[in-house]
Amino acid sequence: MWRRIRGAVAAFWDTFRRPSAHFSLGFLALGGFIAGIVFWGGFNTALEATNTETFCTSCHEMRDNVFEELKTTIHYNNRSGVRATCPDCHVPHDWTDKIARKMQASKEVWGKIFGTIDTREKFLDERLVLATHEWARLKANDSLECRNCHDYDSMDLTRQAPRSAWIHQRWLGTGEKTCIDCHKGVAHTLPDMAGVPQG
């Protein structure tokens, strides 16, 4: 069997490295360029299609649990009409960070396939684990998704409550803490926080 596989690979490699007898180098280069554009367009289209609130809430685990919680927060409904969607908070905007997050999120698909959180009870049982993973991810990237909208340098501390202004200046301004250290429950109901250090 290995002999056959080795022979097939050798035959493919021999054909692959041999110059084309029927097509010019220009034709092959142009064909490769067009194929690259088609591949990139398809890849980017799929990437953007999976980066929408509609896609995120297409499975009932998200729609019936965390999405319902989001609807009661200021990130969803507010006086200015600016609304954060799932990808705004859970997917970085920069391309390389976005690709890394998408690869990370592929593990979450396993949870869907194997029914890890397919009922409300299972979701609540796993809630602290899920939240801890997300907090750790945001801590590791310095709350990058938060900073896409909430930039410390753009904050008008004089319009904040004195305590908030002092905390932002002391911890966020110095870089000693990041958004997620203090703002763990801004968009979703907190799990049982017993044993979780406070920000």
Side-chain angles (χ1 to χ4, degrees):
M1 181 172 104
W2 288 110
R3 187 184 237 164
R4 255 190 323 187
I5 292 172
R6 200 173 341 166
V9 169
F12 172 76
W13 178 248
D14 189 47
T15 303
F16 184 75
R17 68 186 188 102
R18 188 179 314 136
S20 173
H22 304 288
F23 301 105
S24 70
L25 180 61
F27 177 82
L28 293 174
L30 181 63
F33 180 74
I34 291 170
I37 290 173
V38 169
F39 171 78
W40 180 253
F43 178 79
N44 200 44
T45 299
L47 188 68
E48 290 307 314
T50 62
N51 205 35
T52 63
E53 190 172 86
T54 303
F55 177 81
C56 295
T57 58
S58 63
C59 66
H60 78 88
E61 290 89 346
M62 294 298 108
R63 184 185 62 242
D64 298 343
N65 293 303
V66 290
F67 187 59
E68 286 303 313
E69 296 169 1
L70 173 65
K71 288 180 178 180
T72 64
T73 70
I74 197 160
H75 280 101
Y76 188 86
N77 191 8
N78 56 64
R79 67 190 173 278
S80 66
V82 176
R83 197 175 74 143
T85 62
C86 306
D88 291 325
C89 299
H90 294 281
V91 181
H93 294 187
D94 293 335
W95 196 82
T96 52
D97 295 321
K98 183 187 291 187
I99 294 299
R101 176 65 182 121
K102 289 293 185 177
M103 290 187 317
Q104 213 177 29
S106 64
K107 182 180 176 188
E108 296 163 10
V109 173
W110 285 107
K112 169 69 176 169
I113 292 170
F114 291 108
T116 309
I117 57 170
D118 60 351
T119 66
R120 178 74 178 161
E121 294 74 26
K122 287 182 185 178
F123 173 77
L124 293 174
D125 288 344
E126 289 293 313
R127 180 171 210 127
L128 181 59
V129 173
L130 297 168
T132 302
H133 284 280
E134 193 61 10
W135 297 335
R137 186 185 70 77
L138 285 164
K139 177 78 172 168
N141 75 10
D142 194 24
S143 300
L144 181 61
E145 291 87 338
C146 302
R147 293 172 186 273
N148 285 328
C149 297
H150 303 281
D151 180 43
Y152 175 76
D153 294 331
S154 300
M155 286 183 184
D156 183 354
L157 298 178
T158 63
R159 299 180 72 186
Q160 295 181 4
R163 182 171 179 261
S164 298
W166 180 83
I167 289 171
H168 283 141
Q169 198 167 20
R170 166 68 183 93
W171 299 106
L172 198 57
T174 61
E176 290 181 55
K177 299 275 186 187
T178 187
C179 309
I180 200 63
D181 288 314
C182 300
H183 298 281
K184 286 184 170 73
V186 296
H188 302 295
T189 305
L190 287 170
D192 178 8
M193 297 295 282
V196 177
Q198 296 299 307

